[in-house]
Amino acid sequence: MVNRRSLYLLWLVALLAILPGCGSRNRVPEVPPVVLSPAAWQQVDREIVQASRGAAGSAGDYARRSMRVWREQVQVQTEENFIPWFTGYWTQQWLTLRVAWYKMSQHRDQPDNRLALYLQDAYRDRVLEPVAEQINPDLIRERATELYVQLLGQQIQGIGERYRPAPDQFALHLERIPAIALGPPAARDASLRGVLTAKPFVQLPAWLALSEEIRKAAAANATASDNGLSSVASKASTRLEATLAPRGALSAVAAAVGKAAGMAISVASAGIGAMMHESDRPEMVEQLRVILNSALNEEWQNLMENHATGVMAGVWSLSGRIEGELAGRVGMEPRMDAIP
């Protein structure tokens, strides 16, 4: 019995001694990093350019889908809230009073310019701000850029796994590729590595600076341009004066404003005017709908295609900077809007 127990213990000890060796033989050996040749680094850069273009394309698909929803919501709010308000009889009378007041008030701005500002505010309050509570072009721009950075990071991680450069060498290579260049100060600049490792990306100082630059450019573009929704008010105010003047409304209101006592429009004339207005209203509604839809299409096109201020402005800025840097190194044709 003693001999059997001793043999059993010896067998167990021997088995335990063998098992670690078996495990080490079955373990997959770690593959050492590869020292990349200049040609291999060029191929890495080519694949980074391709990855950037693919990520930008996917971000563009997201932005386009989101902006279609935005456009649909703006159309709904325009039909339900702005057109009925603007073409209503009492709104037209109120706007007529404003035009008459503008004409009499020796202000350097033309009446249609002052009325345009009023209508812009009304359009923003009744249409754009309610839509922005659900879907906002500024937020779409930010999320599209986040998606681009996320997808690009995944692709670059795969590139590193395929070519297996030393981690510190690969990190240094990415550090030498500019992605945002707005400095000084240095905080307004960011390398490709800095963009990919920022957690979260939207808090990266260089991105915050770039985002602010885009917002300022968008605001200036909206003020200076006749395109897009900013033109709705001026077109509508021009039409308003043209349609009301033949009815003598402006002269009647202007005369009435000069009387301290009395009403500008009597109850009887208001009733007659309201009936005449309702007969003309369908044509007014259709004309206004054409103006607003045309302006909305221009604005949507501008938001989708303007590389400096649109919803893809962040993506195009980052990808243009990255691709502009790398394409020349590897002999690829740069994207037409790539930043050199």
Side-chain angles (χ1 to χ4, degrees):
M1 179 68 67
V2 174
N3 290 337
R4 288 183 179 179
R5 183 177 300 172
S6 299
L7 289 173
Y8 175 76
L9 291 174
L10 290 172
W11 177 82
L12 182 59
V13 170
L15 180 62
L16 292 174
I18 292 172
L19 286 176
C22 294
S24 63
R25 285 194 298 270
N26 293 331
R27 187 183 306 140
V28 177
E30 293 185 5
V31 179
V34 175
V35 177
L36 299 185
S37 65
W41 280 117
Q42 281 196 331
Q43 185 59 31
V44 166
D45 287 342
R46 287 191 189 93
E47 294 194 18
I48 291 176
V49 170
Q50 292 166 354
S52 174
R53 291 174 178 175
S58 296
D61 292 340
Y62 158 77
R64 186 169 295 275
R65 289 194 303 268
S66 300
M67 286 302 297
R68 283 174 181 158
V69 175
W70 176 83
R71 184 171 61 178
E72 290 168 0
Q73 292 299 313
V74 169
Q75 287 175 323
V76 169
Q77 291 291 332
T78 299
E79 289 287 337
E80 295 181 355
N81 293 332
F82 187 79
I83 291 179
W85 169 81
F86 179 82
T87 59
Y89 174 73
W90 291 109
T91 300
Q92 293 288 300
Q93 296 303 311
W94 169 244
L95 295 178
T96 301
L97 280 168
R98 297 188 73 92
V99 170
W101 176 255
Y102 296 151
K103 282 183 174 295
M104 290 186 298
S105 61
Q106 304 297 320
H107 198 278
R108 65 179 182 177
D109 288 340
Q110 294 296 320
D112 57 339
N113 292 336
R114 297 181 67 185
L115 188 60
L117 295 175
Y118 175 78
L119 293 178
Q120 284 178 2
D121 288 340
Y123 194 86
R124 183 166 51 250
D125 292 342
R126 293 175 176 273
V127 177
L128 299 181
E129 289 184 357
V131 172
E133 293 177 0
Q134 304 297 325
I135 185 167
N136 188 332
D138 288 340
L139 187 58
I140 293 172
R141 182 191 302 119
E142 182 176 286
R143 289 181 174 173
T145 310
E146 282 187 289
L147 179 61
Y148 165 79
V149 171
Q150 177 186 353
L151 295 176
L152 179 59
Q154 293 172 355
Q155 292 296 314
I156 288 179
Q157 182 179 354
I159 293 171
E161 292 172 354
R162 284 196 300 277
Y163 287 90
R164 301 194 303 346
D168 59 337
Q169 290 297 313
F170 195 46
L172 180 61
H173 187 75
L174 299 180
E175 187 66 37
R176 290 172 174 169
I177 301 172
I180 302 175
L182 299 176
R188 291 165 56 86
D189 297 337
S191 66
L192 176 55
R193 180 173 179 268
V195 164
L196 297 180
T197 57
K199 305 296 181 186
F201 164 75
V202 293
Q203 294 301 319
L204 181 68
W207 163 247
L208 294 175
L210 176 59
S211 183
E212 182 62 21
E213 292 288 331
I214 293 171
R215 279 194 293 267
K216 288 180 180 178
N221 182 62
T223 300
S225 174
D226 289 333
N227 296 327
L229 290 176
S230 63
S231 68
V232 171
S234 59
K235 292 178 182 179
S237 63
T238 301
R239 177 197 173 280
L240 173 68
E241 188 171 352
T243 55
L244 291 180
R247 287 185 264 166
L250 293 179
S251 59
V253 172
V257 170
K259 300 176 182 179
M263 300 177 61
I265 305 173
S266 67
V267 175
S269 64
I272 295 171
M275 287 188 293
M276 294 178 61
H277 174 78
E278 286 303 315
S279 66
D280 296 337
R281 189 172 183 178
E283 182 180 357
M284 185 187 300
V285 167
E286 186 56 33
Q287 289 176 352
L288 182 60
R289 181 178 290 121
V290 171
I291 292 172
L292 295 174
N293 284 340
S294 175
L296 176 59
N297 288 335
E298 290 178 12
E299 180 69 6
W300 189 82
Q301 200 78 7
N302 182 59
L303 286 168
M304 285 305 308
E305 296 183 0
N306 191 310
H307 285 224
T309 62
V311 293
M312 285 288 287
V315 173
W316 280 322
S317 179
L318 267 67
S319 62
R321 179 73 61 183
I322 293 166
E323 295 171 29
E325 174 71 20
L326 296 181
R329 294 184 189 177
V330 299
M332 295 177 69
E333 284 293 327
R335 208 177 61 199
M336 290 187 64
D337 60 318
I339 302 174

